[in-house]
């Protein structure tokens, strides 16, 4: 239902549309420019107009511009400025290029001028896209090099967008994205100041901004719904080649959709009318992964065609086929025990911790990624524009996971514990050896459709936008999906000795068996574990926005709008875990009372691998029994049920999380600007009115449905102001109240049990959205072309962090068989704070002599600290925000001349908390600090064709996770070094 205030807010815009009949114009600005040389007057005009103008020194030399005084729209002002000269403006996207009139006395045909509105900050600032023949920025001297394309041009584009924004934002442009060896969008994001990513299977997966994971992700300013049970996008499915820019808005304005505690990230796809009349480009690269020792393919293509600068169509496609291999040591967690003698005195010592398992894992993957994008853009008149676009992404990843397991016990000999109670070495008799092979497929796909329209008439601008999203997926993930759980036959005994050596990636391990552990005939089936993560999500939204220029003293314009969003999220985690006894009738082919490995359908134990963690320092068995598994053939051969959450399986309907959420929002915003003496200021202030209704449905037990509905209403004020002390030095201040929804999985009513550990998790539909008051300040100095030095301070006062509590419960349908369960459930916690600072620096070193002037550097550093209500169950000390690394930095060096372009990038993030865990489980889980080195280079064979080589993870970075103390090793993983090489062309 639309509130009365919505009608009032939109009514003003409708009345304005009816009464205003002024010729089309862009935003009205106030100008104070004396008549002067073009070399100095053009930069002054560009600054006051809030646009970017590109012009080489050779064109502006000897040209005198007219003076400007007073308020007028930007196109009129530019025509007045250039009147009487032989310069003519040509719009390319949102950039203005100045050119001489042609030799016949006529002007080059200009595209209708459509300027970026610097004084009106939006959720997604417009990027500036120079032509492939674009000269350098206005005011450049005669001796300066003309920048055609490349790294310096893309840096200048990013700077222009950042300067034009009305809020604190960071940007990377299409050229910049294309120059980095990024496998997906998450990795492109990692180059931005304050953004940190986590990796899954060697690729960027999730991200935080200033240590915060509650961020809003958009595609072309719309909700980007993903194929996970939580509705978040799987960024590893989206190729960066289809994007024109990524804008990270760290402070909101009232017109921006709510939902970000850290930042709003807008992924902008390319638009045909922002490109040349005809663009055809493509890239074909071979790929090589060193651990898998396999070749692959990465390719992309784009075709864009404009018709009379009024109608354009664009289609782009990116495809990757890659085989990868990952090595991992995994402890399966740690257990507190009172039954181990840790000091050799013959008496068991209480409260020691030993690993649950010693596991060697080899992930063999075959991956296909497809991303497609299409856009149609129509400007029938200078006042009207329509856009229809769609994006499709799909990731298919097939895995066979060799998991060679040693299940430990408390039957110790010569065990030794350190001062923290960690059993770092010992011999354990009668352990269980399990050579397991998992079939772990992942299929994720997302489809987004959107349509928008914009109408400008005089001082009024009206825009409408709508979108529809569909995303679904199945994701077994590492350690899940299908596996035959096999154990040694009766009488086969294994004793294991281990030793955790500080600094080693995995422990020393020796196995003493009375049987040939590489012989498949020595094992039998114990049970089957069959599981999946399933999701099926739908979303749609619509919004209307009105903007009216006033130029009433410091009040320049007002905006108002309304937005509606509906989300329907379905997630489940079905599991089927039959024991061998239940499968004897089908699986025992020879009637000996057990199911041998040769009787198992869909699995082949036919290979002995000797490649596990090559080069890692440890006396660890490298020869492992392995093979291949096929879940479909196994299910068919044993007549196992499908993993339908409604089927009669071990865990079905209780895992269902069905969330429906409706949100309406209205806003009003005022844009202002003026002068305080010699200081020019601009900014915005407004209110956003938000109402959310959320219904969570599921099952307490089989046949016992339940649901809960909660409603939340908020008034969210925000303000941004910018002070320009000079043309190159600016101070931004911002304050706002923001809200972000909790993870959808956390607000479900579903219950997911673990019938092995007798634990489980349940959501809490009563969780409130995260609320925060945030304060930001940013100082920006643009001291040279494509160069800047920026610093920012930020603080967020967060209301109600989410904390997890554990209670012991009787679960109907499970506890009758398994007993009581320890159930973890999120609850509304206390307040906390997040604060820190950022520093960013980039410079093209044009002042250096000779070829050194082709060098450039980029560097940024972020420090984040937090105070939360989270208490460590083991130490009773206060914990930081999960996912927050205190110290983070990026270092990038590049070289570019007319022939060669090269860049080396190193990304580092400090250790961070992954999850709060119980004291009995060994303490909370942390990830150690890590850094990754990537590089790219190209050789320009012609103006249109270039050779490309790229390297990812050149330093073979290792993921290291531990419980409470570094020597309580939980997991180490090492992924491939990935190389890409090929050719790219643009015509």
């Amino acid at each position: 239902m639309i509130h009365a205030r919505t009608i009032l807010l939109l009514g003003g815009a409708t009345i304005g549309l009816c009464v205003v009949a002024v010729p089309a114009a862009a935003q009205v600005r106030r100008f104070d420019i004396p008549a002067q040389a073009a070399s100095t007057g053009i930069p002054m005009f560009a600054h006051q107009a809030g646009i970017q103008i590109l012009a080489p020194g050779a064109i502006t030399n000897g040209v005198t511009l007219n003076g400007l005084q007073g308020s007028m729209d930007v196109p009129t002002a530019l025509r007045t400025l250039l009147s009487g000269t032989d310069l003519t403006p040509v719009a390319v996207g949102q950039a203005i290029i100045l050119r001489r009139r042609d030799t016949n006395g006529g002007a080059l045909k200009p595209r209708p001028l459509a300027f970026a509105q610097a004084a009106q900050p939006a959720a997604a600032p417009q990027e500036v896209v120079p032509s492939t023949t674009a000269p350098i920025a206005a005011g450049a001297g005669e001796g300066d090099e003309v920048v055609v394309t490349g790294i310096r041009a893309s840096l200048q584009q990013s700077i222009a967008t950042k300067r034009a924004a009305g809020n604190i934002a960071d940007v990377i442009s299409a050229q910049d994205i294309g120059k980095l060896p990024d496998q997906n969008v998450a990795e492109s994001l990692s180059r931005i100041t304050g953004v940190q990513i986590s990796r899954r299977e060697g690729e960027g997966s999730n991200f935080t901004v200033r240590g915060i994971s509650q961020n809003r992700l958009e595609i072309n300013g719309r909700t980007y719904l993903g194929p996970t049970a939580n509705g978040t996008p799987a960024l590893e499915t989206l190729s960066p080649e289809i994007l024109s820019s990524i804008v990270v808005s760290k402070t909101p304005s009232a017109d921006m959709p709510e939902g970000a505690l850290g930042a709003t990230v807008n992924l902008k796809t390319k638009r045909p009318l922002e490109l040349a009349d005809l663009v055809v480009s493509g890239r074909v690269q071979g790929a090589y992964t060193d651990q898998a020792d396999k070749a692959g393919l990465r390719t992309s293509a784009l075709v864009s065609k404009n018709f009379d600068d009024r109608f354009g169509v664009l289609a782009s496609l990116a495809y990757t086929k890659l085989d990868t291999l990952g090595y991992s040591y995994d402890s399966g967690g740690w257990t507190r025990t009172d039954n181990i003698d840790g000091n050799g005195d013959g008496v068991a010592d209480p409260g020691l911790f030993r690993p649950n398992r010693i596991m060697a894992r080899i992930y063999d993957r075959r991956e296909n990624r497809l991303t497609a994008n299409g856009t149609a853009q129509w400007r029938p008149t200078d006042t009207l524009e329509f856009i229809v676009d769609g994006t499709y992404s799909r990731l298919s990843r097939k895995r066979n996971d060799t998991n060679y397991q040693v299940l430990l016990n408390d039957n110790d000999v010569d065990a030794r514990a350190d001062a923290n109670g960690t059993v770092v070495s010992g011999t354990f008799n009668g352990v269980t050896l399990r050579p397991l092979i998992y079939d772990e497929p992942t299929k994720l796909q997302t489809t987004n459709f959107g349509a928008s329209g914009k109408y400008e008439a005089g001082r009024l601008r009206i825009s409408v936008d709508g979108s529809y999203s569909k995303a679904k997926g199945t994701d077994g993930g590492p350690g899940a999906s299908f596996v035959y759980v096999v154990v040694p036959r009766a009488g086969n005994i294994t004793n294991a000795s281990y030793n955790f050596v500080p600094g080693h990636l995995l422990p020393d391990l020796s196995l003493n068996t009375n049987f040939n552990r590489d012989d498949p005939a020595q094992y039998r089936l114990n049970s089957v574990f069959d599981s999946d993560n399933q999701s099926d999500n739908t979303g749609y939204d619509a919004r209307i926005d009105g903007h009216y220029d006033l130029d009433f003293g410091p009040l320049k314009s007002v905006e108002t709008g309304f937005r509606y969003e509906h989300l329907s999220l379905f997630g489940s985690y079905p599991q089927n875990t039959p024991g061998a006894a239940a499968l004897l009738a089908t699986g025992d082919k020879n009637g000996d009372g057990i199911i041998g490995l040769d009787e198992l359908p869909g699995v082949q134990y036919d290979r002995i691998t000797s490649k596990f963690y090559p080069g890692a320092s440890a006396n660890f068995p490298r020869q492992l029994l392995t093979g291949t598994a096929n879940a479909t053939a196994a299910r068919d051969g044993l007549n196992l049920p499908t993993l339908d959450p409604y089927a009669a399986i071990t865990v079905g309907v209780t895992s269902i999380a069905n969330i429906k959420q409706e949100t309406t929002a209205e806003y009003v915003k005022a844009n202002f600007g003026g002068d305080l003496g010699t200081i020019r200021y601009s900014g915005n202030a407004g209110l956003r009115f938000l109402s959310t209704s959320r219904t969570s449905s599921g099952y307490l037990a089989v046949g016992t449905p339940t649901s809960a509905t909660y409603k939340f209403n908020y008034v969210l004020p925000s303000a941004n102001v910018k002070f320009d002390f000079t043309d190159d030095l600016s101070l931004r201040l911002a304050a706002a109240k923001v809200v972000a929804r909790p993870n959808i999985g956390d607000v479900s009513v579903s219950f997911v049990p673990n019938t092995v550990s007798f634990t489980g998790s349940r959501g809490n539909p009563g969780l409130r959205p995260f609320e925060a008051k945030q304060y930001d300040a940013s100082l920006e100095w643009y001291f040279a072309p494509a160069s800047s030095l920026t610093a920012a301070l930020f603080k967020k006062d967060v209301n109600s962090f989410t904390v997890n509590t554990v209670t012991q419960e009787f679960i109907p349908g499970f506890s009758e068989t398994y007993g009581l369960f320890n159930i973890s459930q999120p609850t509304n916690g206390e307040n906390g704070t997040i604060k820190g600072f950022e520093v960013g620096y980039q410079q093209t070193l044009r002042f250096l002599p000779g070829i050194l002037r082709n060098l450039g550097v980029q560097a940024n550093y972020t420090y984040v600290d937090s105070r939360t209500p989270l208490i460590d169950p083991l130490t009773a000390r206060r914990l930081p925000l999960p996912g927050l690394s205190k110290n983070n930095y990026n270092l990038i060096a590049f070289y570019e001349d007319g022939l060669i372009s090269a860049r080396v990038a190193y990304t580092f993030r400090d250790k961070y908390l992954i999850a709060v865990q119980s004291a009995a489980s060994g303490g909370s889980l942390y990830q150690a600090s890590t850094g990754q080195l990537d590089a790219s280079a190209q050789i320009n064979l012609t103006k249109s064709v270039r050779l490309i080589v790229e390297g990812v993870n050149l330093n073979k970075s290792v993921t290291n996770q531990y419980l409470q103390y570094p020597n309580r090793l939980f997991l180490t993983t090492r992924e491939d070094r990935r190389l890409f090489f090929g050719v790219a062309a643009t015509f």
Side-chain angles (χ1 to χ4, degrees), residues 230-251:
N230 193 41
T232 54
L235 289 180
E236 59 263 44
T237 69
L238 190 65
S239 175
E241 284 96 334
I242 70 167
L243 300 180
S244 66
S245 66
I246 301 176
V247 181
V248 179
S249 295
K250 298 175 179 177
T251 63

Side-chain angles (χ1 to χ4, degrees), residues 1-206:
M1 180 178 179
I2 299 178
H3 300 288
R5 63 174 177 264
T6 307
I7 299 173
L8 291 174
L9 290 170
L10 298 181
T14 305
I15 294 171
L17 180 61
C18 296
V19 301
V20 176
V22 182
Q27 183 191 14
V28 174
R29 305 295 292 264
R30 189 172 69 83
F31 295 94
D32 183 8
I33 301 175
Q36 59 187 292
S39 60
T40 57
I42 291 173
M44 183 179 296
F45 175 85
H47 178 71
Q48 294 183 16
I51 63 175
Q52 186 185 36
I53 300 180
L54 304 174
I59 283 182
T60 59
N61 281 349
V63 177
T64 300
L65 303 179
N66 302 301
L68 285 178
Q69 290 288 335
S71 298
M72 64 190 78
D73 63 79
V74 176
T76 299
L78 183 55
R79 286 192 292 269
T80 303
L81 185 80
L82 302 178
S83 178
T85 72
D86 63 349
L87 299 180
T88 184
V90 178
V92 179
Q94 301 299 324
I96 304 301
I97 300 174
L98 295 185
R99 294 175 177 166
R100 297 279 193 183
R101 297 180 185 275
D102 64 27
T103 56
N104 296 321
L108 294 170
K109 182 182 69 174
R111 186 174 296 173
L113 299 184
F115 297 103
Q117 316 246 340
Q120 303 172 33
Q126 298 292 316
E127 82 268 16
V128 180
V129 185
S131 153
T132 56
T133 58
I136 62 174
E142 177 72 23
D144 286 337
E145 179 183 343
V146 174
V147 177
V148 179
T149 58
I151 297 172
R152 289 192 296 275
S154 65
L155 295 180
Q156 189 61 45
Q157 293 172 39
S158 300
I159 285 177
T161 308
K162 179 179 176 70
R163 297 184 71 174
N167 56 351
I168 297 176
D170 283 295
V171 185
I172 52 177
S173 69
Q175 285 259 6
D176 210 22
I177 296 169
K179 296 293 182 182
L180 292 170
D182 298 329
Q183 302 172 94
N184 58 54
V185 167
E187 296 186 2
S188 295
L189 276 169
S190 71
R191 316 296 176 184
I192 293 178
T193 306
V195 178
Q196 299 86 43
I197 67 169
S198 58
R199 298 180 184 273
R200 176 186 177 186
E201 301 179 278
E203 296 190 10
S205 180
N206 299 313

